[in-house]
Amino acid sequence: MPNISSYITKDTAKMSLAVMMLLCGSGIYLLFRSKSLNIYKWCSELGFSNNIDSMRFVANNWDVSELVKFSLPDGLYCAAYILTMDVIWNKENGWKKHIAIFLVPFITICSEVLQYFGFVKGTFDYCDLVCYAIPPITYLSLFIFKKEFLKL
């Protein structure tokens, strides 16, 4: 009988992690954020509003930090994007892959910085900036570490 690990590739693991990050970020939005967000409309149209309301009622007494409510989901979405692009561009090793991987994180980081200076509408938040920056920095660090490790 074949071992289950023989079916799990690096890409499968990356995509599974990306999906988990998206689900966690969405769960945080659904439990703790305003019901005016589009995700509630989508869930309502899918018939999940009663279930979500029940979960929100239970989570109402939880003491969750502002960082978790407002910044962590953005970092999770950013990390999920990076992992997904890494899988999609798996066979590519050139600059196109790196542009695809870092484009959205770069735009989100720039947008947050431009909010600080008032050039982009929104509220600047250091925690948002950190949560946007951690995934690309981590990916880049692992990429550099892997390259250096392979030289040894």
Side-chain angles (χ1 to χ4, degrees):
M1 181 167 194
N3 187 345
I4 189 82
S5 64
S6 64
Y7 295 107
I8 300 174
T9 65
K10 287 181 184 177
D11 288 345
T12 305
K14 287 177 187 177
M15 284 310 300
S16 298
L17 184 58
V19 168
M20 286 189 281
M21 289 176 168
L22 287 173
L23 290 174
C24 286
S26 298
I28 292 168
Y29 265 59
L30 290 170
L31 289 176
F32 304 111
R33 299 289 297 268
S34 165
K35 283 185 147 185
S36 65
L37 298 172
N38 285 335
I39 192 167
Y40 288 102
K41 294 173 191 164
W42 302 333
C43 289
S44 179
E45 289 181 20
L46 293 171
F48 296 129
S49 52
N50 288 340
N51 300 53
I52 293 168
D53 287 341
S54 297
M55 290 186 294
R56 285 175 67 89
F57 180 76
V58 171
N60 188 41
N61 295 324
W62 297 352
D63 187 25
V64 178
S65 74
E66 300 293 309
L67 176 114
V68 171
K69 288 181 192 178
F70 298 105
S71 301
L72 181 60
D74 297 335
L76 291 170
Y77 299 148
C78 186
Y81 170 83
I82 289 172
L83 288 170
T84 303
M85 289 298 107
D86 189 51
V87 170
I88 290 171
W89 289 83
N90 183 22
K91 304 295 183 207
E92 184 75 35
N93 284 323
W95 60 272
K96 291 178 186 177
K97 176 180 181 176
H98 300 300
I99 288 175
I101 288 172
F102 290 109
L103 181 63
V104 168
F106 177 76
I107 290 170
T108 57
I109 290 168
C110 286
S111 173
E112 196 66 34
V113 170
L114 292 173
Q115 285 178 18
Y116 177 79
F117 293 108
F119 295 120
V120 172
K121 186 178 178 183
T123 304
F124 172 78
D125 186 347
Y126 286 106
C127 292
D128 286 352
L129 186 60
V130 169
C131 285
Y132 286 138
I134 288 173
I137 290 170
T138 302
Y139 180 84
L140 189 58
S141 300
L142 292 173
F143 176 77
I144 292 168
F145 177 75
K146 181 179 172 184
K147 262 190 146 163
E148 292 301 315
F149 183 74
L150 292 174
K151 288 180 183 179
L152 297 176

